[in-house]
């Protein structure tokens, strides 16, 4: 069955992947569900704000929102 959805790939370090997996398991949801939810929340939060991309990186290497 054809779909009009698009696929996105991201890279996570071991700790990020582990933490995400724990959240998914605790809530009985998939990694994809969490990813879609995070992206939708980001879009809603910054919908009407002018972002200066790429997002600046903190000294820890994590993105600052």
């Amino acid at each position: 069955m054809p779909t009009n959805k698009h696929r996105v790939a991201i890279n996570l370090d071991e700790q990020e992947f582990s933490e995400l997996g724990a959240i998914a398991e605790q809530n009985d949801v998939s990694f994809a569900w969490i990813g879609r939810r995070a992206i939708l929340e980001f879009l809603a939060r910054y919908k009407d704000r002018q972002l200066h991309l790429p997002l600046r990186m903190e000294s820890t290497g994590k993105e600052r929102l």
Side-chain angles (χ1 to χ4, degrees):
M1 180 174 181
T3 179
N4 63 352
K5 294 183 180 180
H6 300 276
R7 190 171 293 261
V8 175
I10 60 168
N11 295 314
L12 302 173
D13 66 26
E14 192 63 38
Q15 182 178 352
E16 294 164 339
F17 186 80
S18 179
E19 290 176 11
L20 189 62
I23 292 170
E25 187 175 322
Q26 290 168 0
N27 293 281
D28 196 27
V29 296
S30 67
F31 279 72
W33 186 92
I34 293 172
R36 281 190 304 274
R37 180 67 185 203
I39 290 168
L40 291 173
E41 287 183 19
F42 179 89
L43 292 173
R45 182 181 214 175
Y46 294 103
K47 178 176 139 181
D48 297 324
R49 288 167 60 174
Q50 179 72 26
L51 291 177
H52 300 283
L53 299 176
L55 298 174
R56 294 182 185 202
M57 303 299 278
E58 300 263 348
S59 60
T60 61
K62 302 289 183 188
E63 291 178 322
R64 183 177 55 174
L65 299 178

